[in-house]
Amino acid sequence: IERVIRNDENRPRKTLILGSEWEEHLASDISAPLTYLSVPINNDLILNKTYVGYNGGLRLMEDIYTNILRDYW
């Protein structure tokens, strides 16, 4: 999948990657914001965080928008 993403000439200007620590190099290579959805996550300490249910959906939206806006600030 990573090879397809790197070679895709029709990729939109901005791409959002939802993944894990393994996609960090891909995200930096194609200048895309990365939101961690699965393990491994080595640079964050997580004690209690989930994207399940209503509150989890709100938390996911917050994380996605935070990562997108981080590129513009």
Side-chain angles (χ1 to χ4, degrees):
I1 294 174
E2 183 175 337
R3 190 175 335 125
V4 172
I5 293 172
R6 289 181 189 273
N7 295 331
D8 187 12
E9 296 174 1
N10 298 319
R11 185 176 58 236
R13 292 184 187 183
K14 279 296 186 183
T15 302
L16 172 67
I17 296 180
L18 304 173
S20 67
E21 187 81 25
W22 292 341
E23 286 80 30
E24 188 170 18
H25 294 294
L26 173 64
S28 65
D29 289 347
I30 65 172
S31 301
L34 172 64
T35 299
Y36 297 118
L37 289 182
S38 62
V39 294
I41 301 173
N42 296 326
N43 58 356
D44 289 338
L45 174 63
I46 300 172
L47 299 176
N48 184 15
K49 183 177 182 179
T50 181
Y51 294 131
V52 176
Y54 180 77
N55 289 332
L58 292 177
R59 184 174 294 120
L60 176 61
M61 293 299 291
E62 289 174 351
D63 288 349
I64 289 172
Y65 280 107
T66 299
N67 288 327
I68 291 172
L69 292 176
R70 188 178 300 149
D71 288 348
Y72 294 109
W73 293 75

